[in-house]
Amino acid sequence: MKKFFSMTAAITSMTLLLSSAPAVLAASPSSSTVQEVQNTLNLDQKVTKKLTDAITAVAGKQTIQFTSADTAFDDNWIINATLTGTAEADVSLHYDSKKGIVTSTMISYKADDLDKIMGQALSKKVDSFLKSFDKDNKFETEAFWRVKQDVNDGGLKNYWVIWGPKQSLYIDVDRNNQISASIQYKIKDTQAALTNKARNSLKTLGISELKSFDYANLTQKDKDTLWKYQDDSDLNYVLIGSKSGKVWKVANELGKDWNNDVDFKKSFAKPKLTKSKALSVAAPKVKSIFGLQLKGYSVDIKDNEYTFKKKGAATLIGKINKKGAFYSFEAFSANGVRN
């Protein structure tokens, strides 16, 4: 079967994102599909069963044909397979032979099969979300995946991905099918007023070395709907509310000046700035960038991070370098919503 998408690229791109009790899968392929497993790779029967069970858990009973296996490393076998039944699909599994467990399962489907596989209820939820989120009708579906990762240091573990040339949409199965999404815009296609605000905010931060923005992403995650202006390397970026037009974060990683973790710990073992000094240094920049007055705010200090708090007002977190200059500020709304 022709691969619908590069599995390696797909897995690499999904190391992004992202509390509640796991939900039942939004839709499962027809349970009446007869399961047939074709194994010409001479895999152990116990291993084959574990691989089959992992696929069945997210795709239902399908015809499975194991096509290749890379078993060079005991703690990370990579096994590929194809599915036929409800729809044709490619599968990539990671298997830890030392522990005897499948650590990730990824099933790649054709875009045309989305409604067939995902089911009507979840498809309608996605359509409703995109009508609200994608005002410019830029979202294009190239492929979609169903992923379950049993071992993961962070981000999503049990989810759907709908993928486009400059877009992505994630559905978190373990959080009642909560949706997060991102659409990339060329700078010339963004609102001039927001673009100028992003550029001016970065300049106001005051770090001498800058990189120009290469694009802006319209993003939604949890309750936040934001524009993220950034360069290709994500070294400096600005977050702006999509509805309010407020700046919520400005950061320039080029402002970091420590050499390594040891240098960092040594440099910030004691506060670089006193609480009063931090307020005086931050106040003019915070007012200019966020329109906030720091009068009446308290300050908490941890390493190079300074948290400015005031009851009923937005919380700000600023980070400094060894020179005591703030290279990052992020604001959090008092009501928990940034848009």
Side-chain angles (χ1 to χ4, degrees):
M1 180 190 299
K2 180 181 179 181
K3 295 292 181 184
F4 306 137
F5 201 90
S6 167
M7 286 297 193
T8 302
I11 292 171
T12 300
S13 65
M14 291 191 299
T15 56
L16 58 300
L17 283 166
L18 233 184
S19 61
S20 58
V24 176
L25 289 183
S28 296
S30 172
S31 59
S32 62
T33 302
V34 177
Q35 184 148 39
E36 178 184 349
V37 180
Q38 300 173 32
N39 178 18
T40 59
L41 304 179
N42 296 319
L43 292 171
D44 181 271
Q45 285 188 345
K46 290 183 179 180
V47 173
T48 301
K49 184 178 186 307
K50 289 178 181 179
L51 297 171
T52 301
D53 289 346
I55 295 171
T56 304
V58 295
K61 292 182 178 180
Q62 307 288 304
T63 296
I64 303 170
Q65 181 175 5
F66 293 103
T67 57
S68 67
D70 181 351
T71 60
F73 301 99
D74 288 344
D75 58 348
N76 188 24
W77 290 7
I78 300 174
I79 297 96
N80 295 314
T82 59
L83 296 184
T84 53
T86 307
E88 293 185 345
D90 289 330
V91 186
S92 180
L93 304 104
H94 285 225
Y95 179 77
D96 188 328
S97 65
K98 288 184 177 179
K99 296 181 179 179
I101 58 173
V102 177
T103 57
S104 72
T105 305
M106 176 179 166
I107 305 176
S108 174
Y109 295 97
K110 293 178 181 177
D112 292 344
D113 292 325
L114 193 148
D115 291 341
K116 186 190 304 182
I117 296 297
M118 191 169 283
Q120 188 176 32
L122 188 53
S123 292
K124 283 185 176 180
K125 182 174 183 176
V126 171
D127 289 342
S128 177
F129 171 87
L130 287 175
K131 283 179 182 178
S132 174
F133 176 67
D134 182 21
K135 302 293 187 183
D136 298 322
N137 296 316
K138 283 185 170 289
F139 203 97
E140 300 175 36
T141 302
E142 284 190 347
F144 72 102
W145 307 311
R146 180 69 174 86
V147 184
K148 188 171 184 182
Q149 301 177 119
D150 296 325
V151 177
N152 190 12
D153 292 333
L156 301 177
K157 296 184 178 181
N158 186 19
Y159 55 101
W160 297 87
V161 185
I162 302 176
W163 196 264
K166 298 291 183 180
Q167 305 88 20
S168 62
L169 184 148
Y170 293 78
I171 305 168
D172 189 345
V173 175
D174 287 342
R175 296 181 68 189
N176 196 31
N177 293 323
Q178 185 177 67
I179 296 175
S180 58
S182 176
I183 301 175
Q184 188 179 115
Y185 283 70
K186 295 178 181 178
I187 294 297
K188 68 180 182 63
D189 294 332
T190 61
Q191 298 177 44
L194 294 185
T195 303
N196 289 333
K197 182 177 287 189
R199 287 170 175 161
N200 290 334
S201 296
L202 193 61
K203 290 177 182 177
T204 302
L205 189 59
I207 301 300
S208 58
E209 188 177 358
L210 300 173
K211 288 198 71 175
S212 298
F213 297 127
D214 291 304
Y215 54 85
N217 284 323
L218 177 63
T219 66
Q220 181 162 322
K221 186 179 180 184
D222 298 325
K223 297 178 180 179
D224 294 347
T225 309
L226 303 165
W227 285 99
K228 182 181 180 182
Y229 285 83
Q230 65 178 89
D231 63 277
D232 278 332
S233 302
D234 207 14
L235 291 173
N236 42 222
Y237 54 91
V238 178
L239 301 182
I240 300 177
S242 66
K243 296 179 181 178
S244 66
K246 292 181 179 178
V247 176
W248 291 103
K249 184 172 183 177
V250 55
N252 188 344
E253 301 292 316
L254 295 168
K256 293 180 177 179
D257 57 359
W258 52 88
N259 299 318
N260 48 43
D261 289 343
V262 173
D263 188 23
F264 177 88
K265 291 178 181 178
K266 181 180 178 181
S267 300
F268 300 106
K270 296 180 179 179
K272 282 282 182 184
L273 302 176
T274 64
K275 293 182 179 182
S276 60
K277 182 65 174 178
L279 282 165
S280 66
V281 171
K285 294 183 180 182
V286 167
K287 182 180 179 181
S288 179
I289 296 170
F290 301 99
L292 294 173
Q293 300 278 2
L294 288 183
K295 184 177 180 180
Y297 270 76
S298 62
V299 185
D300 293 332
I301 305 171
K302 181 181 179 182
D303 299 326
N304 74 327
E305 187 173 285
Y306 288 71
T307 301
F308 303 88
K309 296 187 293 186
K310 182 180 178 181
K311 187 175 181 180
T315 296
L316 284 117
I317 296 177
K319 295 181 180 181
I320 64 170
N321 59 23
K322 289 170 26 174
K323 299 181 183 71
F326 284 94
Y327 66 86
S328 171
F329 283 110
E330 182 168 14
F332 297 89
S333 172
N335 65 10
V337 178
R338 302 191 295 182
N339 58 28

